[in-house]
Amino acid sequence: MHIPDGYLGPATCGIFYAVMLPIWTIASKVVKKVLKARQVPMLAIGAAFSFVVMMFNVPIPGGTTGHAVGAVLVAILLGPWAACIAVTVALVVQALLFGDGGITAIGANCFNMAFVEVFTGYYLYKLISGSSSVASGRRIVAAGIAGYVALNIAALSTAIMFGIQPLLHQTVSGYSLYCPYGLNVAIPAMLGEHLLIFGWVEGVITALVFKYLQKQDPSLLELKKEVVA
Amino acid sequence: MKIMTKLWIAMGILILLSPLGLILPEYFKAGDAWGEWGTGSIKELVGYIPQGLEKFSSLWNAPIPDYAFRGQEVKGLPYLSLAYIVSAIIGVAVTAMIVLIFGKILSRKDN
C-alpha cells in the first residue's frame, strides 16, 4: 500500500500533501491538549509497532504481497489523532530511510494509512463496542472487525489514487504518464487481495493484541472522551 | 514485570521474526506488492515504462533501499535476512525516538 515515487502525478501528490497539512496540524494540537506525558512511551511503541508490522510481507502464493499496518490498534489505544501522528512518523521513516513509499507520495500514503485507516477503524470500533465494558469479548470482536474493514477502506482509497492517474495524465498517443492502470483494474486488484488476505491479517493482529492488553491491563484500553476532541 | 517492558520484549521478538516478511514471499513465489513494481517489471506488465513514472521513480536515494544494504542485495536470503533485522532495529529505534521527542515537546506534564 506504499505508493512509490512516479505512480502518482504531481497534482495528486500535491493535493494530498495539502490535505494532510491541516490534518497533521489538528493532530498536533489535539495531542498537545490531551496526551499525558506518561502516555508518550506507549505512543512511541505504537509507532514502532506499526513500523515493524509493515515489514511482515504476507504472500499470496504465486501472486503479490501485502501487509498489515497496525494503525487501528494504535487508534484504539491512544485515540485517532495520536495514532495519526504515530503512523505518519512510521511512514516517513520508511520513505526516507528505506525507500518504502515515495517521498512525493508521503502525503498520499499518510492520507490512506494514517488518516483513512486510523479514523475508519477507530469509529467502527467505537460503534461496534457500544456501551460494553473494556473487558468484554464484544470489544475484541469490535477491534478485529475494525482492523479488517479499515485496512480495506484504506486499500480502496489507495486503489482510487492509482486508478485515476490514466484519466488525469496521458500522452497524445494514449500512453499513461504515471500509474498505467485505471480504476477498473486497480480497484478489483487492491480490494480483492485485501478483502481476501491482508485485511484478515490486520483484523486478527488487532484482535489478538487487544485481547492480550485486556488481560494484562484493561485500564490501557479506557480512552477518555477528550482524546477524540 | 511492567507492561511496557513486556511490550518492548515483544517488539524485540517481532524484530527477530521480521525476515519472515522476506522468506515467506520468496518461498511462495509471491512478487511485488500491487502498484509497487520497479520500472523493469512495469515494462514487462504493460509493455512500456510510463514517462513520468520513469522520471520520478529514482527521485530519492534511500540510504537502506528496500531494507537491504547497497550493493549487497545479491548475496542471498540469509544475508538479506540479516540486513532486514538490522533495518528493523534501525527503523524501530528511529521511529520510537522521533515520537518520544515529539511527544515530550507536546504532552502535558500534569497527571
Side-chain angles (χ1 to χ4, degrees):
Chain A
M1 214 183 282
H2 294 62
I3 303 170
D5 283 320
Y7 278 79
L8 303 183
T12 317
C13 292
I15 284 170
F16 283 103
Y17 264 107
V19 168
M20 281 313 292
L21 219 57
I23 294 174
W24 284 324
T25 310
I26 298 169
S28 305
K29 281 187 181 150
V30 173
V31 166
K32 187 182 171 76
K33 215 171 89 187
V34 302
L35 194 75
K36 292 166 185 150
R38 65 185 166 81
Q39 289 176 309
V40 173
M42 188 55 102
L43 189 61
I45 207 168
F49 173 75
S50 175
F51 177 92
V52 82
V53 143
M54 290 193 255
M55 289 183 75
F56 283 83
N57 299 309
V58 179
I60 294 178
T64 60
T65 60
H67 54 73
V69 177
V72 178
L73 183 71
V74 185
I76 292 171
L77 273 173
L78 294 152
W81 295 105
C84 176
I85 289 184
V87 179
T88 295
V89 172
L91 289 172
V92 169
V93 171
Q94 284 170 337
L96 294 184
L97 289 188
F98 305 101
D100 197 4
I103 50 164
T104 56
I106 285 178
N109 284 326
C110 286
F111 179 81
N112 296 327
M113 287 180 268
F115 177 68
V116 172
E117 184 182 348
V118 159
F119 279 83
T120 312
Y122 180 77
Y123 283 105
L124 198 57
Y125 162 77
K126 293 296 278 182
L127 187 76
I128 301 171
S129 297
S131 54
S132 60
S133 99
V134 279
S136 67
R138 180 167 165 178
R139 294 261 176 165
I140 302 172
V141 177
I145 295 176
Y148 176 82
V149 174
L151 190 71
N152 276 293
I153 302 291
L156 175 63
S157 163
T158 309
I160 293 172
M161 289 181 186
F162 277 129
I164 57 172
Q165 299 311 311
L167 301 174
L168 295 175
H169 310 279
Q170 263 193 0
T171 61
V172 275
S173 42
Y175 289 108
S176 292
L177 276 176
Y178 302 100
C179 178
Y181 291 114
L183 292 165
N184 59 330
V185 179
I187 292 179
M190 285 291 290
L191 206 50
E193 60 183 28
H194 284 82
L195 284 168
L196 221 60
I197 311 264
F198 312 135
W200 292 96
V201 180
E202 181 86 349
V204 168
I205 289 174
T206 310
L208 284 181
V209 179
F210 186 92
K211 190 172 180 222
Y212 172 79
L213 293 173
Q214 238 182 9
K215 229 171 83 188
Q216 292 290 324
D217 185 1
S219 73
L220 286 172
L221 303 166
E222 281 193 89
L223 265 189
K224 301 278 181 298
K225 265 226 158 54
E226 55 181 16
V227 181
V228 188
Chain B
M1 210 191 307
K2 277 171 66 180
I3 181 78
M4 289 312 284
T5 317
K6 284 185 189 170
L7 291 180
W8 277 111
I9 292 171
M11 185 70 65
I13 295 169
L14 278 180
I15 289 172
L16 289 177
L17 290 177
S18 67
L20 283 176
L22 208 59
I23 294 163
L24 287 180
E26 178 89 9
Y27 182 79
F28 286 104
K29 300 192 169 33
D32 296 308
W34 201 93
E36 297 179 31
W37 310 284
T39 45
S41 315
I42 275 274
K43 191 160 186 193
E44 268 174 44
L45 284 167
V46 291
Y48 67 99
I49 305 171
Q51 274 174 29
L53 199 153
E54 188 168 28
K55 198 169 106 193
F56 288 116
S57 60
S58 50
L59 190 69
W60 181 252
N61 274 315
I64 314 174
D66 295 322
Y67 311 94
F69 301 127
R70 270 174 197 288
Q72 301 178 321
E73 295 90 341
V74 287
K75 279 194 177 170
L77 211 48
Y79 195 88
L80 282 174
S81 299
L82 183 69
Y84 214 63
I85 292 176
V86 174
S87 298
I89 294 171
I90 295 172
V92 161
V94 172
T95 304
M97 214 100 81
I98 293 172
V99 174
L100 280 178
I101 294 167
F102 196 64
K104 268 243 150 56
I105 298 168
L106 285 182
S107 65
R108 293 191 306 188
K109 295 283 178 290
D110 55 303
N111 57 63

